[in-house]
Amino acid sequence: MRFNRMLLSVTLVIVALVIQVSVLARLHLPGAVPDLLLLTVLGLALVYGHVGGALVGFGAGLLADLAPPADHAAGRYALVLCVIGYLAGLAKPDNGQLKSATGPMAVVVAASVGSTLLYAGVGALVGDTAARHVGLGGLLFTAALYDLLLAPFVVPGIMALARRAENDPLADTGGSGKSTDVAAGWISSGTGLRIGSQRGGLRVKAAKARMARAGRIKGVKRL
């Protein structure tokens, strides 16, 4: 990952973790806790892709495992967010732009449900049965609901910051030749002029001028 990606990711993850631990976790909402850290990983994964999403998810999860008041085995949430970040990165749009909010919202719901199931599954493997006592169905519903309500205020902003940190989010998808063609298209669409036809017209005019000069020279020689 490039330095600007690492710096932005670390900053956003730390801010999200502090807000989640100091504010969201103290709201005492029924069921699950709104997972701001998960939404941050999703927003970055939708811009950086599956590799970047996996790396960001692993780092964010490991930081959450070590930060108090964590009461589970270290590496458990890191594994969950690493898998979720990788899968969410696969949904990254090819052109770098989202056509609608339906796709990201579906990713948020799937990630909320998937992370809860994966976290409970890993907990069952290590002997943590807390999810059984709370009720897995209630956790799934409330996790998806809270994250879905919080996502419109978090994910678009995270994606915008990530793209701005890239300076030009579409620069990797096209070369200098494409950028020249795009600039020409902007000029032609903005002015209503056709650059290609202008070039052709200038060439035709130059050829006619040369032919006229040649005809005048021949006429002078004949005289």
Side-chain angles (χ1 to χ4, degrees), residues 52-150:
L55 293 176
V56 173
F58 178 80
L62 186 60
L63 187 61
D65 289 332
L66 300 177
D71 56 353
H72 54 269
R76 180 177 172 183
Y77 201 46
L79 174 62
V80 172
L81 287 188
C82 180
V83 174
I84 296 299
Y86 179 86
L87 295 178
L90 296 177
K92 173 188 175 182
D94 296 332
N95 59 356
Q97 294 180 346
L98 297 174
K99 296 181 180 179
S100 66
T102 305
M105 292 299 102
V107 171
V108 169
V109 174
S112 299
V113 174
S115 62
T116 304
L117 289 175
L118 186 57
Y119 186 83
V122 175
L125 293 177
V126 298
D128 184 4
T129 59
R132 297 180 181 178
H133 301 289
V134 177
L136 185 58
L139 284 178
L140 292 175
F141 176 76
T142 53
L145 178 62
Y146 296 155
D147 292 343
L148 189 60
L149 293 176
L150 190 61

Side-chain angles (χ1 to χ4, degrees), residues 28-220:
H28 301 291
L29 297 173
V33 176
D35 200 339
L36 183 61
L37 195 62
L38 173 65
L39 297 179
T40 302
V41 172
L42 292 180
L44 293 174
L46 289 174
V47 177
Y48 296 155
H50 57 283
V51 176
L55 293 176
V56 173
F58 178 80
L62 186 60
L63 187 61
D65 289 332
L66 300 177
D71 56 353
H72 54 269
R76 180 177 172 183
Y77 201 46
L79 174 62
V80 172
L81 287 188
C82 180
V83 174
I84 296 299
Y86 179 86
L87 295 178
L90 296 177
K92 173 188 175 182
D94 296 332
N95 59 356
Q97 294 180 346
L98 297 174
K99 296 181 180 179
S100 66
T102 305
M105 292 299 102
V107 171
V108 169
V109 174
S112 299
V113 174
S115 62
T116 304
L117 289 175
L118 186 57
Y119 186 83
V122 175
L125 293 177
V126 298
D128 184 4
T129 59
R132 297 180 181 178
H133 301 289
V134 177
L136 185 58
L139 284 178
L140 292 175
F141 176 76
T142 53
L145 178 62
Y146 296 155
D147 292 343
L148 189 60
L149 293 176
L150 190 61
F153 304 98
V154 178
V155 176
I158 297 294
M159 295 179 66
L161 288 175
R163 286 170 178 161
R164 181 171 297 181
E166 293 291 301
N167 294 327
D168 187 1
L170 302 180
D172 296 334
T173 60
S176 59
K178 290 185 178 181
S179 62
T180 303
D181 294 339
V182 171
W186 285 346
I187 295 174
S188 61
S189 62
T191 59
L193 301 177
R194 296 181 180 178
I195 297 178
S197 61
Q198 283 185 340
R199 292 177 180 174
L202 292 175
R203 290 176 182 176
V204 172
K205 291 181 180 179
K208 290 182 178 179
R210 287 196 298 270
M211 292 176 63
R213 286 198 300 270
R216 289 196 297 269
I217 294 173
K218 288 181 181 180
V220 171

Side-chain angles (χ1 to χ4, degrees), residues 7-33:
L7 181 61
L8 178 65
S9 300
V10 170
T11 303
L12 292 176
V13 165
I14 292 177
V15 172
L17 182 60
V18 171
I19 295 176
Q20 182 167 333
V21 172
S22 60
V23 178
L24 297 180
R26 298 184 179 183
L27 295 178
H28 301 291
L29 297 173
V33 176

